[in-house]
Amino acid sequence: MAKQRVKYSKLESVGSGNVDDDLETVSLMHGVSSDEDDVELYKLANGVRPPTFTAEEGVEAIGFGLFQVRLYIICGLFTAADSLEMMLLAVLSPVLRCEWQLEQFHVAFITTVVFIGMCIMAPVWGFMGDKYGRQKTLYMVALWIGYFGLLTSFSPSYTWVLILRGLVGGGMAGSPQSFTLLTEYIPSKYRAKLLNVGAISWACGTMFEIVLASIVLPSLGWRWLLVLSAIPSFLIVILLKFLPESARYLVAAGRKDEAMKVLQKAAKMNRNSLPEGTVVNTHITERGNPRDLFSPMYLRTTLMVWILWFGTALSYYGMVLASAEILQLRNVEHSGEKCKCNLLKKDDYTSMIVSTLGEFIALPLNIFLIDLVGRRWTGAVNLFGCGLFFILLQLPVPQTVLTVFIFMVRGFSSGMFNFVYIYTSEVYPTTIRTLGIGTASSWARVGAMITPFLAQVLLDASLTAAVWVYGGIGITCAICAICLPIETKGRELPQTISLEDD
């Protein structure tokens, strides 16, 4: 028989000293006959609170297992689909330059407009993620990227390419939501290592796009490349059905029953159990409030994180674009003719694939360092290494050695992105986590908007000037990483600002 739901209130008669009489009174009032239920009612009537636990304690209790593996695969495929659209910029630019006889400035703006869209939409997606949930936001992001990516293939002119790629960039600004969701379900013991391994998804996506471009561009053309690159975003929408909403978000939103169901399912999949009681959020605070980013506790962190995201994006995307440009400059030197239709050759695609492998090689270094020396010093090592090898790109060396230099820059720059994502997702509380990543991501887009004019326009005029700009920014950001005020190594993810203050 189903249990009757009742509303409890403290009895004035309780406290007379006769426990049996009090229990009988409570039972008669609510029609409950079970001795166990009688005891629970009596506890509630006398103000005894049932046991509770926080979302952080729940995530730690479920441990690592099948639940996180499934989550990792779905979020990883989302990241890979995102990287296809990003790497597309490097391989598409030479073809459009040739077909429409574009100047370097126009080619650079194709990339810049993508990041303008990202910069505008990043805070919007961040706000929506904190206000309406990670899963709903990811549905909209995946459909947005796929739809406008597909439409770009029908572009009749350069202007339409700019408009539609800008809209694709607006959707890509919401991609960090998947990283946030993954972060919020990984126990602190495994978090840094597993999030570092997450970079494999991005690297696989970029390699797949280079291989796809080397096959499709010579035979079918750039429009079919755009179509094939958009398809994975639509496929991801199907997989998002199996992606749970963030339990931390649900608790912060006051939806504790839903959070309990998600955590119970996760515990069952991992063959673990939750702590006794129900999940609670001790402090109810406003979610997605931009003012919290500038609270006394987070003001310095926020400003320095913005600088790091700016330098990281400028360097990483700069190398993605510059790798194609540097290889094209080598082709010009060998041929002695400078032509807008100097397209990438088979050896150039091979060099780009090999250099992308640097992102895989960087993983062991980052996994080893991040829990040994902490987040700040790991970031500093990657930033300094990236700056140093950027400067070495100006040396007149054989293409094999040049490929090694690009390989090292790609490896360190990938480690930089791992560092800023992990640090930012760990340093902010749940109530402003995606907002913090979203606003920091906007500064990354500012760096990415500038970098095409360095990697394509300035580099075309002077390779030496371009690489010294990148090198100087990398070394400056390394110093900034060391000076971050909060080290997140071994630190629990805070739920709210007030909890953190406590």
Side-chain angles (χ1 to χ4, degrees):
M1 182 175 67
K3 234 180 239 185
Q4 181 184 0
R5 294 180 64 86
V6 295
K7 182 177 180 181
Y8 305 110
S9 59
K10 187 167 181 176
L11 300 175
E12 296 296 332
S13 61
V14 174
S16 61
N18 193 333
V19 176
D20 292 335
D21 290 343
D22 289 337
L23 286 175
E24 183 179 359
T25 302
V26 175
S27 298
L28 289 172
M29 288 178 63
H30 299 96
V32 181
S33 58
S34 166
D35 289 340
E36 183 180 343
D37 288 341
D38 285 344
V39 174
E40 292 301 319
L41 289 170
Y42 183 73
K43 288 180 179 180
L44 288 168
N46 282 275
V48 179
R49 294 182 179 180
T52 60
F53 61 91
T54 64
E56 175 71 26
E57 291 167 341
V59 170
E60 294 295 328
I62 65 176
F64 178 80
L66 182 60
F67 177 79
Q68 281 85 3
V69 171
R70 189 179 72 172
L71 195 66
Y72 178 87
I73 291 172
I74 298 173
C75 291
L77 290 173
F78 194 102
T79 300
D82 190 39
S83 69
L84 293 182
E85 295 289 345
M86 188 57 63
M87 193 65 205
L88 178 66
L89 299 171
V91 295
L92 184 65
S93 295
V95 180
L96 294 182
R97 180 196 293 126
C98 174
E99 182 166 327
W100 290 334
Q101 292 295 294
L102 302 176
E103 299 295 332
Q104 286 295 105
F105 174 86
H106 296 123
V107 174
F109 201 66
I110 294 173
T111 302
T112 295
V113 75
V114 173
F115 292 109
I116 290 175
M118 290 175 125
C119 187
I120 293 170
M121 289 299 295
V124 176
W125 293 122
F127 175 81
M128 291 180 67
D130 285 328
K131 206 75 174 178
Y132 305 109
R134 287 39 161 163
Q135 188 189 43
K136 290 180 181 178
T137 304
L138 286 172
Y139 270 116
M140 291 185 283
V141 167
L143 287 171
W144 183 303
I145 294 172
Y147 178 71
F148 289 110
L150 186 62
L151 282 184
T152 309
S153 65
F154 299 99
S155 299
S157 65
Y158 171 74
T159 302
W160 272 106
V161 168
L162 291 182
I163 293 171
L164 292 171
R165 293 316 292 177
L167 289 168
V168 170
M172 292 172 68
S175 298
Q177 298 284 332
S178 65
F179 190 88
T180 301
L181 183 59
L182 183 60
T183 301
E184 293 179 334
Y185 273 119
I186 299 178
S188 58
K189 178 181 177 181
Y190 306 98
R191 190 181 302 134
K193 292 182 175 65
L194 289 174
L195 293 179
N196 261 307
V197 174
I200 292 176
S201 302
W202 181 274
C204 287
T206 57
M207 287 188 64
F208 179 81
E209 184 66 22
I210 296 170
V211 173
L212 186 66
S214 67
I215 297 170
V216 175
L217 284 177
S219 56
L220 299 175
W222 64 272
R223 294 183 188 275
W224 274 104
L225 180 63
L226 285 165
V227 171
L228 295 173
S229 299
I231 290 174
S233 294
F234 290 111
L235 297 178
I236 290 297
V237 175
I238 301 172
L239 292 177
L240 289 178
K241 179 182 178 182
F242 304 99
L243 195 69
E245 182 55 88
S246 166
R248 296 176 190 272
Y249 159 78
L250 292 171
V251 171
R255 295 156 60 183
K256 293 182 287 186
D257 290 342
E258 294 176 58
M260 275 298 296
K261 289 179 181 178
V262 173
L263 289 173
Q264 286 168 351
K265 184 177 180 180
K268 184 178 180 181
M269 289 183 67
N270 288 356
R271 297 183 179 180
N272 282 321
S273 59
L274 292 173
E276 184 182 356
T278 57
V279 65
V280 295
N281 187 22
T282 308
H283 298 263
I284 304 299
T285 60
E286 183 180 358
R287 289 170 287 119
N289 189 344
R291 291 192 301 271
D292 290 342
L293 294 175
F294 305 101
S295 64
M297 180 169 198
Y298 286 107
L299 176 60
R300 183 180 161 196
T301 297
T302 295
L303 296 177
M304 296 183 78
V305 161
W306 286 357
I307 293 172
L308 290 171
W309 277 76
F310 172 86
T312 295
L314 184 137
S315 301
Y316 179 84
Y317 296 120
M319 190 67 264
V320 169
L321 296 173
S323 58
E325 296 297 322
I326 292 172
L327 292 170
Q328 283 185 301
L329 284 176
R330 285 299 182 100
N331 292 338
V332 170
E333 290 175 1
H334 292 156
S335 65
E337 297 180 3
K338 191 168 185 178
C339 173
K340 291 188 188 325
C341 289
N342 184 20
L343 302 178
L344 294 172
K345 300 176 181 178
K346 183 179 179 180
D347 290 344
D348 298 329
Y349 284 116
T350 302
S351 292
M352 292 176 73
I353 292 171
V354 171
S355 63
T356 303
L357 291 174
E359 299 191 22
F360 293 96
I361 303 302
L363 286 175
L365 174 66
N366 285 291
I367 290 173
F368 174 74
L369 288 178
I370 201 153
D371 282 327
L372 179 67
V373 300
R375 280 48 164 167
R376 292 180 294 190
W377 279 99
T378 301
V381 168
N382 283 288
L383 288 157
F384 182 82
C386 180
L388 175 63
F389 280 97
F390 244 123
I391 293 171
L392 295 178
L393 289 175
Q394 65 186 304
L395 299 178
V397 293
Q399 182 161 337
T400 303
V401 179
L402 178 66
T403 301
V404 172
F405 289 164
I406 297 175
F407 175 95
M408 296 302 293
V409 175
R410 287 294 294 269
F412 282 121
S413 61
S414 174
M416 289 157 54
F417 251 125
N418 287 342
F419 157 66
V420 293
Y421 265 117
I422 292 172
Y423 183 83
T424 309
S425 63
E426 288 182 334
V427 77
Y428 288 119
T430 300
T431 50
I432 57 169
R433 185 167 296 121
T434 58
L435 180 65
I437 293 177
T439 52
S441 179
S442 289
W443 282 98
R445 307 320 169 197
V446 173
M449 281 189 284
I450 295 171
T451 205
F453 296 96
L454 297 175
Q456 293 176 317
V457 179
L458 179 60
L459 190 146
D460 186 60
S462 172
L463 174 62
T464 301
V467 297
W468 271 103
V469 170
Y470 282 117
I473 290 173
I475 294 170
T476 301
C477 287
I479 297 171
C480 183
I482 296 171
C483 297
L484 283 165
I486 301 173
E487 172 58 69
T488 61
K489 172 188 172 185
R491 176 176 177 259
E492 289 187 354
L493 292 184
Q495 187 73 1
T496 66
I497 294 284
S498 52
L499 275 175
E500 184 71 359
D501 291 339
D502 292 344

